[in-house]
Amino acid sequence: MLSYLIVAEVGYMVGGAWLGNHFGMVGAIYHIISDGFMTLCLFLAVSILIFKTKQNTIAGLAGLYKKMPLTMGAFTLGALSMIGAPPTCGFFSKYYLIRGGIEAGHWEYVGALLFSSLVNAILFFRIIEVAYFNPLPKEGESHGHDDHDESERVRWDEAPASMVAPLLIAASGVLFVGLYNREIVTVIEQTLNTY
């Protein structure tokens, strides 16, 4: 799923350059930076999830917010950025791309970008729903009766620190690039003005 989403992300960048105006180009360059952090964060999270669960299906993520809160928190941050939620870097890069599309009068580009963000929201919220609301499978049982003390018995079971630390650094980058968007955009604009 993430590999297919990267194709859409590249489309945003190419589309921003295709708009041929200031905000389109700024948005394209800013989105290259943002996408680096977003996709790194998501792929690191998914690699940890596959490493720990030995599964690569959405159903295999059931209950992992209780068991792996750091990994799932970082995954959620990357997902929200891919959707375009503030204050993540994905929100600001999409803001500049949409502004460039509006100024260029290319409403089809704006519509495609908004539709793609909606599809991202549907895909990621399904994963978040399963990982947050579905109970952890009980060992030795596929499905049993509800146990009201499940939350008390769940112990954190994160991956080794050597895997989690790079994930948390990438997730911090998603926030950093979003929160310091004005400074980053200023550097991009100064660079564009010199050429």
Side-chain angles (χ1 to χ4, degrees), residues 8 11 36 69 93-94 117 122 129 133 153 178:
S93 62
K94 289 183 179 182
S117 295
I122 293 167
E129 175 193 7
F133 292 106
R153 293 186 290 114

Side-chain angles (χ1 to χ4, degrees), residues 141-185:
E141 295 182 37
S142 56
H143 292 287
H145 61 279
D146 288 338
D147 187 347
H148 296 293
D149 295 329
E150 176 191 346
S151 61
E152 294 175 11
R153 293 186 290 114
V154 174
R155 304 182 108 200
W156 279 24
D157 188 20
E158 291 282 355
S162 60
M163 295 178 79
V164 175
L167 171 63
L168 296 179
I169 291 169
S172 300
V174 168
L175 274 179
F176 179 84
V177 173
L179 293 173
Y180 290 93
N181 69 86
R182 187 63 249 169
E183 291 80 0
I184 294 169
V185 167

Side-chain angles (χ1 to χ4, degrees), residues 77-148:
L77 188 60
L80 291 174
S81 187
M82 194 72 81
I83 292 166
T88 63
C89 56
F91 170 79
F92 294 102
S93 62
K94 289 183 179 182
Y95 164 78
Y96 288 109
L97 290 170
I98 288 172
R99 186 169 174 184
I102 291 170
E103 287 193 3
H106 286 290
W107 296 99
E108 69 284 358
Y109 175 78
V110 174
L113 203 151
L114 293 173
F115 177 76
S116 176
S117 295
L118 178 61
V119 170
N120 285 347
I122 293 167
L123 294 172
F124 283 116
F125 283 135
R126 176 64 182 142
I127 294 171
I128 292 168
E129 175 193 7
V130 168
Y132 188 82
F133 292 106
N134 289 12
L136 277 165
K138 297 178 182 178
E139 291 190 29
E141 295 182 37
S142 56
H143 292 287
H145 61 279
D146 288 338
D147 187 347
H148 296 293

